[in-house]
Amino acid sequence: MGEEFLRRFLLHVLPDREKALALCRQVLPGPPARKVSKIDWRQQFESLTGIDPSRCEACGQKALR
């Protein structure tokens, strides 16, 4: 019951997303933002640091799970 109240309340408070998005695209200069691909934290960590977090720091072997 409380969830339904909040859902209905937010319909009145939050702006219409499609209209707001269209307005933002008109106002902001430049091309639209590109979509960011989702990679897991291990791949991101390795791309930023060059360190493979799944390898043992001491011997370089794949870490045990």
Side-chain angles (χ1 to χ4, degrees):
M1 186 167 175
E3 292 174 3
E4 181 62 18
F5 169 77
L6 287 176
R7 186 187 73 78
R8 289 183 183 197
F9 176 74
L10 291 176
L11 287 173
H12 297 287
V13 175
L14 296 175
D16 181 26
R17 290 184 188 210
E18 294 299 320
K19 289 180 184 176
L21 188 57
L23 179 62
C24 288
R25 286 185 176 136
Q26 286 178 349
V27 174
L28 294 174
R34 59 185 165 88
K35 292 195 176 191
V36 177
S37 63
K38 293 184 180 181
I39 60 173
D40 75 350
W41 70 270
R42 290 173 195 86
Q43 292 171 330
Q44 188 167 5
F45 182 83
E46 187 172 6
S47 70
L48 293 172
T49 64
I51 300 169
D52 184 356
S54 65
R55 297 210 175 265
C56 174
E57 293 177 5
C59 66
Q61 297 269 333
K62 283 279 190 183
L64 294 176
R65 292 184 182 251

